[in-house]
Amino acid sequence: DFLHYVGHIDDRGFACADGPLDAATLDHVGVDAFLLNACTSFEQGAELVRAGAVAGIVTLNDVVNDEAVQMGRLLARLLNHGFPLTGALDVADDVRPIGDQYTVVGDGTLTLARTQGSAPNSPSVIDLDEVYGVEYNLYPTKRVGTGGLVNPYIGDGSEHYLFSSQIGTFEIDSEELADFLGTEARPIRIDGELRWSDEMDLDAL
């Protein structure tokens, strides 16, 4: 289902133990999705899509190794939590300095796993002194897309909304925020950093 390549790519193709492999020479590939975490992997990724892959994340130019490792870990975790390729890259681009050096080839709505909730989401939390502001950001997939109904389960959880990239900003108290964070493991954006709801200490906000 998923190929995560960490290595070197140049004009000859993938660097392999027995020599270079140029994806342009492949008639067919069985992998659905991929992350080519190597320098300037766009062309090789495009060839994988031409050979039958559905979609993948590639780089547009050279990437620094340490940052690429962190980027790869984050992307893999987001994909494992049900984010589509474009959604995972959008979240990672917001919080990693080299995010703009990556792009998607193929069908970026592809997902590798199902979310715990209705749709992949990465809310932003803002401390407004006595209350918290929660900006609820959604990412469409083939299963749940624009125009569908979603319930963010914020506050009393009685309201449903039409699916869009951002359904609104909600003001809630600390108890409601704790309940919201406990509904599912999800990436939360706070002051330009990404944290996971199941690892957060509310008192540290």
Side-chain angles (χ1 to χ4, degrees), residues 120 142 197:
K142 291 185 181 299
S197 59

Side-chain angles (χ1 to χ4, degrees), residues 67-80:
E67 280 293 337
V69 169
Q70 295 300 318
M71 187 72 170
R73 287 176 177 166
L74 176 55
L75 287 170
R77 188 171 187 181
L78 289 165
L79 293 172
N80 193 49

